[in-house]
Amino acid sequence: MKEMAIILLSAVFVNNFVLAKFMGICPFLGVSKKLDSAVGMSLAVIFVMMMATAATWPIQVYLLDKNGLGYLQTVVFILVIAALVQLVEIILKKYVPALHKSLGVYLPLITTNCAVLGVTILNITSAYGFWESMVNALGAGLGFLLAMVLFSGVRSRIEGCDAPKSFQGIPITLVAASIVSVSFMGFAGVIEGLFR
């Protein structure tokens, strides 16, 4: 149980896929302008990460590794993720059309979100078992949610500031993202220290 807690908290804070590994930057910068869109996108990413992990771990262990097809890992994982994103898009379009419309083009981009592919591959390369992989995927998704919500608040403050003309728009957004990222470096070593 202690190991699961370390995996979860490390994935959220120390190894945050957006702020420490710099994966998933496209939706992070594109959808974080409004809190409701940021939360909606994050929940969709959490769902896809969990489902992708639940599908790809057995495929890797019981199909690819058993038959010497490990070299097909990336292609197979991308196909699984693409199918899951289509499922999420269909569900949102039918049951939550306002969120589907607000996410716009960024929803299909979950397919190419390297954080989703990254968590599935990291689970395999870290030699996690099935439940450890699921906990890591949950932590990665919660870390994505945390980063999106925090940065949504930062961006709302940026919109109201009087930045120099050369920094307006994307430059000030990238500077703010780097400062938020540096703030997460302070969590390194803290998680393991909590469970000694």
Side-chain angles (χ1 to χ4, degrees):
M1 194 63 180
K2 181 170 118 175
E3 292 81 18
M4 295 292 196
I6 290 173
I7 291 171
L8 180 72
L9 294 174
S10 293
V12 173
F13 296 109
V14 179
N15 300 319
N16 188 293
F17 273 77
V18 177
L19 300 173
K21 295 182 184 281
F22 305 107
M23 294 184 182
I25 297 296
C26 178
F28 175 69
L29 294 175
V31 186
S32 61
K33 286 184 180 180
K34 296 180 182 173
L35 181 62
D36 57 340
S37 298
V39 170
M41 171 62 90
S42 299
L43 293 176
V45 167
I46 290 171
F47 177 78
V48 171
M49 279 184 176
M50 296 291 292
M51 296 305 293
T53 297
T56 57
W57 191 90
I59 288 171
Q60 178 73 36
V61 171
Y62 299 115
L63 182 66
L64 298 179
D65 288 347
K66 293 261 186 202
N67 296 305
L69 299 171
Y71 60 91
L72 293 174
Q73 179 189 58
T74 304
V75 173
V76 170
F77 285 15
I78 288 173
L79 290 173
V80 169
I81 292 166
L84 290 169
V85 169
Q86 287 301 309
L87 175 68
V88 169
E89 187 169 16
I90 290 168
I91 290 169
L92 286 179
K93 191 173 187 178
K94 182 167 177 132
Y95 296 109
V96 194
L99 179 59
H100 180 265
K101 186 176 180 182
S102 72
L103 292 177
V105 71
Y106 293 101
L107 185 58
L109 286 178
I110 294 175
T111 302
T112 59
N113 185 342
C114 57
V116 177
L117 180 61
V119 76
T120 58
I121 291 175
L122 182 70
N123 289 332
I124 302 301
T125 59
S126 298
Y128 287 153
F130 180 77
W131 293 111
E132 292 168 325
S133 297
M134 293 301 291
V135 168
N136 188 50
L138 177 63
L142 293 174
F144 187 85
L145 172 68
L146 177 64
M148 291 288 280
V149 168
L150 284 174
F151 202 60
S152 176
V154 170
R155 286 193 76 174
S156 69
R157 296 295 302 252
I158 290 173
E159 298 294 323
C161 77
D162 186 26
K165 187 172 181 167
S166 60
F167 275 92
Q168 291 177 357
I170 293 296
I172 193 71
T173 303
L174 293 174
V175 169
S178 66
I179 293 169
V180 172
S181 175
V182 168
S183 69
F184 270 66
M185 292 175 67
F187 290 114
V190 171
I191 304 301
E192 290 83 7
L194 289 174
F195 294 98
R196 285 188 183 162

